[in-house]
């Protein structure tokens, strides 16, 4: 069984405690979201799970066969054009050049990039376009586990909805497992099976919410009513308001 | 290969954009001619006379031999700096201690006037090829070294992390992540190193040897042969401009297309 298991995870940067006693598991085919205030340690947690930072205390066990990461900032290679950037992950996996280009072009079109954009360098792309390229670079690999760090934060509502439905489609077919960070409660409610609330200073999980309805049946009404319900939750109020003082 | 083709394809439009440069050169020649009419042939020979002398010189095998000698010294010195400076710079860049330790040395190398090096080299090596080549190396090495050092020091940690997360194999890490960044620092350093080498080689020859263009310049001075002196200056400037604008600049444009 493929799964990601985090046990008693603590993390420090210098003398500052960033994460404290984090525990959760992510099973195959599940979607787990993390919400919390800015600077609360969400990105740090995701990097630890993906093996990009060394675990100091506790354990992270990842048995997923393959994984891909879409970073909070797009992290594109400035000297590669859109298509070459998307195909990097495929080439690293040893895929043939022509095959990689074909797949990259397909996914770029599907993500609302146009053929005119294919040859552009990152400096000539808008923030949202960069984000889509970065997301495409991760998703084109068809990973078994996908790490997403606020993947849609720079997109307009139309694009956001379109890309979310691409994910929902894959989720409903149980093709993918996702661990993702978002600032957008509705996004978390729409996509995830479980939502973790991470409170800051030091980052620790104060509450878990489960959403049992299958993703492709969650209509706007469901998302709205759940949002209203969750926004009145005491823990949510205290987690976000205290930080905003 | 694709890259070389693109440079060739864009070359005509690049040349076309050079009309402004041509116009300013012609304006300069016109001013030169005015200077000639005011100060007379001894101080400032007319452009026409200079170019006539230049034509004669370029058909003279002895002069060609001097130019070849100078080219040989410049390319030996520059080639050595290029290889050593790039290699050591990259190496120093990868280790924090090495880059810290190399800083004062670089400051000394950059800060010491080339003329002082020439004097030292004359004492150490006598009058000949070695002195000139040594001076060229000492002058152009630090420029290239610093370029390579900066290139490696400024590698983007976030991109490295990205490469790690996608499990890039070593050759992709090198050619797709590190190389383009480092090259964008090293290449301009090569260009300035070359310019420096070309200036220093003439100066060192003028003071320390009996052959090469620099020595010819010294002879022209002692004989008050202003047309020859000016012709030599024209040769120096024209060759530098040729290398810089016809060869290096088009390459640089393509290499840096991705930059703002
Ligand atoms: N490499 C680092 N060295 C030192 N401190 C760091 C480092 N990376 C992050 N931090 C600190 O850790 C804390 C958590 O950062 P993190 O990036 O995980 O927050 P976040 O929850 O992702 O915030 P946001 O929602 O704004 O992206 C911050 O206080 C930050 O200053
Ligand atoms: Mg973050």
């Amino acid at each position: 069984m493929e799964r990601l298991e985090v046990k008693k995870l603590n993390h420090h940067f210098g003398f500052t405690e960033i994460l404290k006693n984090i525990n959760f598991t992510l099973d195959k085919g599940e979607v787990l979201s993390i919400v919390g205030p800015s600077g609360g340690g969400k990105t740090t947690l995701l990097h630890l799970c993906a093996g990009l930072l060394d675990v100091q205390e506790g354990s992270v066990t990842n048995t997923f066969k393959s994984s891909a990461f879409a970073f909070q900032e797009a992290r594109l290679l400035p000297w590669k054009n859109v298509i070459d950037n998307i195909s990097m992950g495929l080439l690293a996996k040893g895929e043939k050049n022509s095959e990689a280009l074909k797949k990259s072009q397909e996914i770029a079109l599907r993500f609302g990039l146009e053929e005119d954009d294919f040859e552009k360098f990152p400096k000539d792309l808008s923030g949202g376009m960069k984000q889509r390229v970065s997301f495409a670079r991760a998703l084109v690999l068809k990973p078994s586990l996908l790490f997403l760090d606020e993947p849609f934060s720079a997109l307009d509502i139309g694009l956001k909805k379109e890309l979310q439905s691409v994910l929902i489609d894959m989720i409903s077919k149980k093709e993918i497992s996702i661990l993702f960070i978002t600032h957008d409660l509705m996004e978390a409610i729409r996509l995830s099976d479980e939502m973790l609330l991470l409170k800051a200073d030091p980052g620790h999980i104060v509450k878990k919410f489960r959403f049992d309805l299958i993703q492709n049946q969650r209509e706007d009404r469901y998302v709205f009513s759940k949002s209203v319900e969750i926004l009145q939750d005491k823990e949510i109020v205290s987690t976000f308001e205290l930080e905003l003082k | 290969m694709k890259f070389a083709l693109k440079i060739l394809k864009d070359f005509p439009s690049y040349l076309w954009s050079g009309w402004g440069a041509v116009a300013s050169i012609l304006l300069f020649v016109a001013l030169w001619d005015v200077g000639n009419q005011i100060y007379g042939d001894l101080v400032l020979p007319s452009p026409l006379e200079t170019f006539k002398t230049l034509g004669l010189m370029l058909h003279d095998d002895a002069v060609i031999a001097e130019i070849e000698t100078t080219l040989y010294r410049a390319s030996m010195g520059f080639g050595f700096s290029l290889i050593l400076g790039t290699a050591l710079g990259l190496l120093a860049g990868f280790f924090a201690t090495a880059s810290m330790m190399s800083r004062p040395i670089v400051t000394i190398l950059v800060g010491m006037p080339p003329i002082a090096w020439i004097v030292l080299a004359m004492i150490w090596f006598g009058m000949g090829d070695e002195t000139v080549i040594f001076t060229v190396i000492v002058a152009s090495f630090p420029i290239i070294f610093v370029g390579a050092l900066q290139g490696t020091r400024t590698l983007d940690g976030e991109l490295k992390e990205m490469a790690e997360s996608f499990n890039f194999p070593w050759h992709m890490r090198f050619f797709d992540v590190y190389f383009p960044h480092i090259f964008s620092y090293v290449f301009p350093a090569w260009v300035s190193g070359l310019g420096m080498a070309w200036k220093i080689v003439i100066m060192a020859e003028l003071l320390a040897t009996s052959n090469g263009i620099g020595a010819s310049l010294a002879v022209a001075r002692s004989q008050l042969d202003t047309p020859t002196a000016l012709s030599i200056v024209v040769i120096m400037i024209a060759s530098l401009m040729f290398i810089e604008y016809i060869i290096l600049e088009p390459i640089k444009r393509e290499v840096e297309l991705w930059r703002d």
Side-chain angles (χ1 to χ4, degrees):
Chain A
M1 185 69 181
E2 296 174 75
R3 65 174 3 186
L4 173 76
E5 193 163 15
V6 174
K7 274 190 188 153
K8 295 191 182 146
L9 186 68
N10 296 330
H11 197 80
H12 297 256
F13 280 126
F15 291 109
T16 337
E17 194 172 28
I18 305 288
L19 293 171
K20 190 177 172 189
N21 194 24
I22 307 284
N23 297 284
F24 65 84
T25 42
L26 170 64
D27 287 320
K28 189 175 165 58
E30 278 208 337
V31 181
L32 191 71
S33 60
I34 302 170
V35 297
S38 181
K42 302 185 296 298
T43 299
T44 309
L45 176 57
L46 206 64
H47 282 207
L48 283 165
C49 291
L52 296 175
L53 276 175
D54 290 330
V55 173
Q56 296 167 346
E57 273 175 65
S59 70
V60 171
T61 326
N62 181 356
T63 56
F64 280 97
K65 287 200 188 71
S66 60
S67 66
F69 204 114
F71 294 90
Q72 189 165 7
E73 333 76 35
R75 301 203 187 177
L76 305 179
L77 295 171
W79 40 83
K80 296 262 174 201
N81 66 27
V82 165
I83 292 299
D84 288 339
N85 259 300
I86 297 179
S87 64
M88 277 289 124
L90 289 169
L91 294 177
K93 249 174 55 177
E95 196 129 342
K96 273 223 307 279
N97 209 354
S98 55
E99 195 63 21
L101 285 185
K102 211 178 97 208
K103 284 188 186 173
S104 307
Q105 284 169 354
E106 273 169 22
I107 201 163
L109 290 174
R110 187 146 151 244
F111 283 8
L113 295 159
E114 282 157 28
E115 265 179 59
D116 291 346
D117 303 327
F118 286 3
E119 304 269 298
K120 283 186 184 162
F121 288 106
K123 70 169 165 100
D124 297 326
L125 299 178
S126 74
M129 285 158 95
K130 281 186 217 162
Q131 213 170 31
R132 277 177 280 162
V133 173
S134 157
F135 185 50
R137 178 176 63 187
L139 206 64
V140 77
L141 295 172
K142 301 222 165 81
S144 172
L145 171 61
L146 187 60
F147 294 103
L148 300 176
D149 196 345
E150 299 184 34
F152 308 131
S153 57
L155 303 184
D156 63 66
I157 41 174
L159 273 170
K160 203 181 239 193
K161 197 142 193 191
E162 213 161 294
L163 293 193
Q164 283 172 355
S165 66
V166 171
L167 283 183
I168 289 175
D169 200 41
M170 295 173 81
I171 295 165
S172 307
K173 291 184 199 149
K174 297 279 171 200
E175 285 175 350
I176 198 164
S177 319
I178 307 177
L179 178 59
F180 83 104
I181 291 175
T182 179
H183 275 142
D184 181 348
L185 268 184
M186 301 230 264
E187 184 169 290
I189 294 167
R190 189 167 276 132
L191 294 179
S192 53
D193 296 303
E194 190 165 35
M195 177 174 100
L196 307 182
L197 178 61
L198 192 79
K199 199 166 172 172
D201 290 323
H204 58 289
I205 295 171
V206 285
K207 194 153 182 178
K208 301 188 179 185
F209 300 85
R210 275 207 77 88
F211 310 107
D212 289 323
L213 191 64
I214 184 164
Q215 275 84 350
N216 58 6
Q217 290 174 8
R218 293 182 192 171
E219 288 169 2
D220 285 347
R221 185 124 46 82
Y222 174 84
V223 176
F224 291 144
S225 66
K226 276 281 175 197
S227 309
V228 171
E229 187 184 313
I230 286 177
L231 277 173
Q232 284 163 350
D233 186 283
K234 272 215 314 285
E235 295 290 358
I236 293 265
V237 171
S238 76
T239 302
F240 284 96
E241 272 191 352
L242 280 178
E243 306 309 319
L244 283 176
K245 204 165 41 181
Chain B
M1 198 50 224
K2 200 175 90 186
F3 189 66
L5 276 178
K6 188 142 186 318
I7 292 180
L8 285 182
K9 205 181 78 202
D10 290 346
F11 193 63
S13 76
Y14 168 67
L15 273 190
W16 186 249
S17 71
W19 278 118
V22 172
S24 84
I25 291 176
L26 290 179
L27 184 68
F28 177 75
V29 172
L31 286 175
W32 175 1
D33 201 60
V34 172
N36 162 253
Q37 286 170 26
I38 297 173
Y39 295 105
D41 284 343
L42 184 63
V43 176
L44 192 65
S46 71
L48 192 64
E49 195 191 339
T50 307
F51 285 111
K52 271 188 191 152
T53 318
L54 180 64
L56 287 178
M57 283 170 69
L58 290 182
H59 285 98
D60 184 346
D61 286 341
V63 176
I64 298 295
E66 303 288 8
I67 295 179
E68 277 169 2
T69 308
T70 304
L71 276 180
Y72 163 76
R73 289 167 179 159
S75 42
M76 282 299 283
F78 177 67
F80 193 81
S81 291
L82 182 98
I83 294 168
L84 207 69
T86 311
L88 288 181
L90 294 182
L91 212 63
F94 278 116
F95 303 101
T97 352
S99 56
M100 254 161 54
M101 278 172 56
S102 62
R103 270 191 65 179
I105 302 176
V106 168
T107 314
I108 294 174
L109 287 182
V110 174
M112 185 132 157
I115 197 87
W117 283 116
I118 296 176
V119 172
L120 285 179
M122 279 158 71
I123 297 171
W124 293 335
F125 304 112
M127 315 284 271
D129 280 355
E130 294 90 345
T131 302
V132 180
I133 294 174
F134 173 81
T135 320
V136 170
I137 292 173
V138 176
S140 56
F141 170 85
I143 300 176
I144 296 172
F145 178 86
V146 169
L149 180 85
Q150 294 278 6
T152 1
R153 294 304 295 163
T154 52
L155 278 173
D156 185 348
E158 298 201 329
L159 289 183
K160 277 191 208 165
E161 209 172 57
M162 185 278 292
E164 194 186 322
S165 85
F166 284 99
N167 297 318
F168 279 24
W170 70 267
H171 62 272
M172 278 181 74
R173 254 171 231 241
F174 183 75
F175 288 108
D176 295 325
V177 183
Y178 301 160
F179 179 75
H181 176 90
I182 294 175
F183 192 72
S184 74
Y185 278 78
V186 170
F187 188 75
W190 288 352
V191 175
S192 7
L194 184 65
M196 180 59 97
W198 195 230
K199 277 180 242 167
I200 294 298
V201 77
I202 308 281
M203 187 166 96
E205 280 182 347
L206 191 141
L207 294 167
T209 61
S210 53
N211 56 2
I213 316 182
S216 310
L217 197 60
V219 173
R221 183 201 64 92
S222 63
Q223 296 173 350
L224 277 184
D225 184 355
T226 336
T228 306
L230 271 184
S231 302
I232 292 173
V233 173
V234 170
I235 292 177
M236 279 155 31
I237 294 177
S239 51
L240 196 64
M241 283 175 84
F242 175 79
I243 293 176
E244 177 128 16
Y245 290 110
I246 305 294
I247 300 180
L248 298 177
E249 185 68 23
I251 299 179
K252 193 166 148 219
R253 282 177 171 233
E254 294 302 331
V255 171
E256 301 203 328
L257 216 52
W258 53 270
R259 291 206 150 198
D260 285 323

